[in-house]
Amino acid sequence: MSDKRVYFFGDGGADGDATMRNLLGGKGANLAEMTRLGVPVPPGFTITTAECADYQRTGKLSAELQAEVKAAMAQVEKVMGKRFADPADPLLFSVRSGARVSMPGMMDTVLNLGLNDDTVQGLAARSGNERFAYDSYRRLVQMYGDVVMGVSSELLEDAIDHLKEKRGVKLDTELSAQDLRDLIATFKGLIEKHAGRAFPYDPWEQLWGGVRAVFESWQVPRAKEYRRIHRISDEWGTAVNVQAMVFGNMGDSSATGVAFTRDPSTGENRFYGEFLINAQGEDVVAGTRTPQQINHAGRDAMPAGHEARTLPTLEDVMPGSYAELVAVRERLEKHYRNMQDVEFTIQEGRLWMLQTRSGKRTGVAAIRIAVEMEREGLVKADDALLLVEPDHLDQLLHDQIDPEAEIEVLASGLPASPGAAQGIIKFSAESAVEAADKGQAVVLVRRETSPEDIAGMNKARGILTSRGGMTSHAAVVARGMGKPCVAGCGEAFVNYETKTLTVAGRTFKEGDVITINGTTGAVIAGAPPLVPPRLDDPNLSRIMAWADAARRLKVRTNADTPHDARQAREFGAQGIGLCRTEHMFFGEDRIRRMRQMILAGDEASRREALEHVRPLQQADFDGILEAMSGLPVTIRLLDPPLHEFLPTGDKEIVELAGDLGVSADDIRRKIEELHESNPMLGHRGCRLGVTYPEIYEVQVEAIIGAAIAVKARGFDVRPEIMIPLIGTVRELAEMRQLCIATAERVIKAAGAKVEYLVGTMIEVPRAALTADEIATQADFFSFGTNDLTQMTFGFSRDDIAKFLPSYLAKGLLPTDPFQQLDQTGVGQLVEMAAQKGRRANPHLHLGICGEHGGDPSSIAFCHKVGLDYVSCSPFRVPIARLAAAQVAIREKQG
Ligand code: PEP
Ligand code: MG
């Protein structure tokens, strides 16, 4: 490596380029790259990370540095036609840190470096704006005092507050030039007193101090802590970017603005931007003046009556700069091959680009931009696909809160199921059903939900719970239904007695209107306007076609009803990866029979009760197998503990007792008997099949019975029977034997021919550890990463909301492991089980059906460890198709 310490950029030339991130930091490399492109970037220079490393060792700036900085400074002065420290017309600088990766907010910036009691007068004269000049100087002294000289920023802020109080004003902007002059004097006094040194008059001394401060900021505790959490090496060090300041408030030939190379809300290929004449960047953001549109197209698109329609555009007032800006736009899009968000300043008729980065956009805009950029030849299909983020598709598939709407966020819970929903609050499933049946929009608000609430959830527009995590009942069911849900909102207090919801100090009664945003987790007062989903968009179809051509992973769905199965198929699902059968035991007659079965004293009475359930189950399977004709359908045998099917309230217990002709006390006794301390680790999953084989038997009869009937009607059926919660090969062997014997008996009795598979979920760590043994008894594995995460971490799925926020705030967990697969821990079990399983049984088919099957980063992991498919809720199928394609493309591109 060369020993060069200072890299110049400016006026079409740069010593560095985008590949030099390690030496120049991300920001420095990008500034160099932009300059090379011929984009007019304010000139400057980058001091390398190598110099930083030396500084950490020696505590001194190197001998070479001074000469190199002086040479670079001369180049900058030449480009700008101004001189550093010139009292008549001073060239000013910003000094910023810039590490290899961005470390937001870790190290501070110093602006306006080069001002002192003399040069400030030059700036005042040149700008014709004394107040601006002194305000710039005030900012320098304040930032420098804090960042470089270590004077507490509160002390300096207090001085501003005192002065404002004395002058009887509220805003900084109300202080006059004389006030600012006084303030500068006060700051200097405070600095001298607390730092033991005076604020440096000499601009060069200011500069060296700034450079040293950036290097020293690498070692401040918050930066060290940030590096520790994000696993950034202490050795990297930071670069320093010293860049000429440009001002948009130097009179009427100056301006400042922001622009997007395409319309960020519709994606239309038109240059879109706003600017203000004689203003600084913060004036555009502050919204005190109405910004003007940069071009006629933008102005004409403003709504009638909007002030911007009456204002001249940049095209009108500075046609030369506008033409230059248009040329920059083209160059940036060609180079970055993405829509850019830029900031620009025009100083005395000269255009400068301050920043370019890929622009944030709506879902609709994202797919339009990707499709059109491919059509325009800017990108190939694979790269176009990478321009669409999975979240963009999520937006397209659900109602959203109008981004223009003003909203009052009361509290935030977990973004459990995306989309926005609004309606009147109902606190029980029954009252939700009642209101919905009358045509009212309802948001069901519960502490948590249970299978008994299904009907109410189904009728509600959205669901809000105060407890539970991302895989709580409410979250899983809502996602399956494609219904917005905010779960585990700990700040919301739900009182069933008084029928009130208390949140953010406000109390809502049943019937009051709220809105939830399941995409962000926000709970919102009232009913802000919503915008509908766009399913018919031809751009979306094109994106999906590209995705399907690029991906290796298949995408199935988690669906429990024929309706969901059909919906998922429309979204592109290639089969069902998980059909949970427990929901099929709810519904009036079924739950009665199920309860009868549970309460039965012996096998014969259990069988009798189950006899009533079988035809109903068979009818469900029939519909699902037909809807998925030609595609595999994985049906899981009963999983939850039996007590979940029993009533909880007294009224219901008495009703049930009447129904079944037993005493209420009998029922209470049975409930007591079934009570478990740890139901999730208790009598559930295949343990039910071991203790009550007749339950599984009846289910298999129903599955195979349905398959025979549907096949007879000419459909192509591919049932896969799945055993839950297996931990040992002997358990599985026993259950497999039961399934096969039952299936063969049904097939033989019908004189039919039906192919089927028998496999298992891998959701108990022991099953993953012994996957080679388990694989000898399985045709497929489906990773149940909800339970696998629960059991690997020992985190209860239903209680994690209580402590997760603290874990996330302290950086003890990077994300919710029930949402994003923990690849290092749980992922290791998945990978190992996949390998061991395949080695023992080369025909083994592998998939995932935990909620992670719809999460893009987890999908990428599934691709890498060689699974055959992911399975997710119907509304996430398009997202999973995209995510599977993106990982395949990234792998191909290396
Ligand atoms: C799982 O555990 O990942 C799974 C899919 O099963 P369930 O969520 O029904 O326990
Ligand atoms: Mg499970």
Side-chain angles (χ1 to χ4, degrees), residues 55-339:
Y55 184 85
Q56 304 305 339
R57 222 180 24 253
T58 63
K60 285 206 248 2
L61 297 175
S62 71
E64 303 84 26
L65 187 68
Q66 195 157 1
E68 288 192 45
V69 165
K70 290 241 149 111
M73 177 64 85
Q75 284 180 280
V76 177
E77 287 176 334
K78 195 160 153 241
V79 175
M80 293 302 285
K82 288 175 193 260
R83 296 181 60 83
F84 189 45
D86 179 355
D89 183 14
L91 177 56
L92 305 179
F93 285 90
S94 64
V95 175
R96 292 187 170 91
S97 65
R100 206 185 281 196
V101 294
S102 130
M103 293 170 58
M106 282 308 116
M107 288 170 278
D108 297 298
T109 295
V110 181
L111 302 177
N112 306 329
L113 198 134
L115 282 174
N116 57 29
D117 291 349
D118 293 314
T119 55
V120 70
Q121 292 176 35
L123 183 65
R126 284 290 308 185
S127 64
N129 185 343
E130 197 189 12
R131 193 189 176 285
F132 153 68
Y134 279 93
D135 194 40
S136 305
Y137 188 19
R138 186 270 303 177
R139 282 167 202 254
L140 167 67
V141 180
Q142 186 178 349
M143 284 188 258
Y144 203 90
D146 165 19
V147 175
V148 181
M149 302 183 75
V151 177
S152 130
S153 56
E154 279 130 55
L155 211 62
L156 300 169
E157 284 291 341
D158 283 350
I160 304 184
D161 289 344
H162 282 146
L163 183 66
K164 284 198 288 198
E165 214 171 290
K166 215 159 108 191
R167 296 283 183 270
V169 298
K170 283 220 163 60
L171 303 172
D172 290 8
T173 48
E174 293 173 289
L175 295 171
S176 68
Q178 184 55 48
D179 291 336
L180 294 166
R181 240 188 234 123
D182 294 347
L183 197 54
I184 292 164
T186 311
F187 282 170
K188 285 185 179 169
L190 284 169
I191 291 173
E192 190 144 10
K193 179 163 164 223
H194 291 275
R197 304 176 279 140
F199 169 79
Y201 170 87
D202 177 8
W204 278 102
E205 202 187 316
Q206 291 174 5
L207 178 59
W208 297 124
V211 172
R212 270 196 300 267
V214 170
F215 287 159
E216 272 160 28
S217 69
W218 184 252
Q219 299 295 3
V220 299
R222 65 179 171 160
K224 282 189 180 167
E225 182 62 12
Y226 185 92
R227 292 201 293 273
R228 195 185 59 72
I229 292 170
H230 295 270
R231 304 210 177 98
I232 295 171
S233 162
D234 287 339
E235 307 296 309
W236 286 0
T238 178
V240 187
N241 296 296
V242 180
Q243 188 176 20
M245 297 281 305
V246 290
F247 296 98
N249 53 351
M250 299 280 260
D252 282 347
S253 61
S254 299
T256 191
V258 293
F260 290 87
T261 56
R262 298 183 187 221
D263 186 328
S265 62
T266 64
E268 187 187 343
N269 186 1
R270 75 176 171 106
F271 196 18
Y272 173 94
E274 300 177 329
F275 77 107
L276 282 173
I277 291 185
N278 195 14
Q280 280 183 293
E282 43 197 73
D283 300 328
V284 182
V285 183
T288 42
R289 283 165 61 186
T290 304
Q292 298 157 245
Q293 293 291 307
I294 55 169
N295 50 22
H296 296 158
R299 187 187 55 196
D300 298 344
M302 295 305 286
H306 194 284
E307 193 190 341
R309 282 186 82 109
T310 63
L311 300 171
T313 66
L314 190 67
E315 209 174 347
D316 300 320
V317 292
M318 299 182 191
S321 294
Y322 179 70
E324 241 185 291
L325 195 59
V326 169
V328 167
R329 170 201 184 210
E330 248 158 63
R331 215 167 298 150
L332 289 176
E333 276 213 341
K334 250 201 195 108
H335 182 72
Y336 290 100
R337 294 185 290 156
N338 196 348
M339 188 266 269

Side-chain angles (χ1 to χ4, degrees), residues 462-529:
I463 297 133
L464 167 65
T465 65
S466 57
R467 297 190 194 144
M470 289 298 286
T471 58
S472 63
H473 180 266
V476 172
V477 172
R479 275 196 294 276
M481 291 176 170
K483 234 171 246 270
C485 172
V486 172
C489 179
E491 298 161 73
F493 296 95
V494 178
N495 189 329
Y496 291 141
E497 302 262 290
T498 56
K499 298 216 169 97
T500 51
L501 161 71
T502 307
V503 55
R506 287 178 56 178
T507 299
F508 294 83
K509 295 188 301 296
E510 196 155 64
D512 288 348
V513 174
I514 56 163
T515 298
I516 56 167
N517 186 348
T519 313
T520 62
V523 180
I524 296 152

Side-chain angles (χ1 to χ4, degrees), residues 431-447:
S431 58
V433 171
E434 206 178 298
D437 284 345
K438 287 191 196 131
Q440 285 174 301
V442 172
V443 174
L444 178 64
V445 178
R446 303 280 303 162
R447 285 195 200 124

Side-chain angles (χ1 to χ4, degrees), residues 672-860:
E672 185 94 336
E673 244 176 74
L674 289 171
H675 173 81
E676 293 178 302
S677 315
N678 255 325
M680 284 309 251
L681 299 175
H683 194 182
R684 61 172 284 223
C686 63
R687 299 156 202 172
L688 293 173
V690 169
T691 48
Y692 300 117
E694 56 279 6
I695 300 180
Y696 278 13
E697 232 179 279
V698 164
Q699 286 198 293
V700 173
E701 284 166 6
I703 294 168
I704 299 297
I708 293 170
V710 176
K711 189 174 175 193
R713 299 203 299 273
F715 296 100
D716 176 6
V717 291
R718 305 186 183 186
E720 303 184 347
I721 299 166
M722 179 153 78
I723 321 284
L725 222 72
I726 286 294
T728 75
V729 66
R730 295 180 106 181
E731 260 175 333
L732 181 58
E734 167 110 359
M735 290 298 102
R736 182 181 171 86
Q737 179 50 36
L738 175 74
C739 290
I740 291 177
T742 309
E744 292 304 320
R745 176 163 48 71
V746 176
I747 290 169
K748 196 161 166 222
K753 237 183 123 187
V754 167
E755 307 270 318
Y756 62 95
L757 301 178
V758 181
T760 182
M761 296 194 66
I762 301 289
E763 51 185 346
V764 172
R766 193 184 187 283
L769 293 164
T770 59
D772 45 352
E773 293 175 10
I774 307 256
T776 61
Q777 298 295 319
D779 299 321
F780 62 88
F781 283 174
S782 178
F783 289 95
T785 43
N786 301 336
D787 272 309
L788 194 59
T789 299
Q790 169 164 265
M791 291 188 225
T792 304
F793 273 100
F795 286 162
S796 159
R797 288 161 67 165
D798 300 305
D799 301 311
I800 190 170
K802 288 207 177 76
F803 52 87
L804 181 67
S806 307
Y807 271 65
L808 295 177
K810 292 192 168 159
L812 302 179
L813 282 175
T815 52
D816 177 352
F818 288 102
Q819 218 174 331
Q820 226 175 55
L821 187 74
D822 157 48
Q823 299 182 11
T824 20
V826 180
Q828 215 180 114
L829 287 172
V830 173
E831 184 170 14
M832 183 192 64
Q835 281 172 2
K836 280 187 155 196
R838 276 240 172 85
R839 234 178 280 135
N841 175 1
H843 303 294
L844 193 71
H845 202 232
L846 298 172
I848 178 175
C849 65
E851 294 304 310
H852 305 92
D855 166 64
S857 73
S858 313
I859 292 170

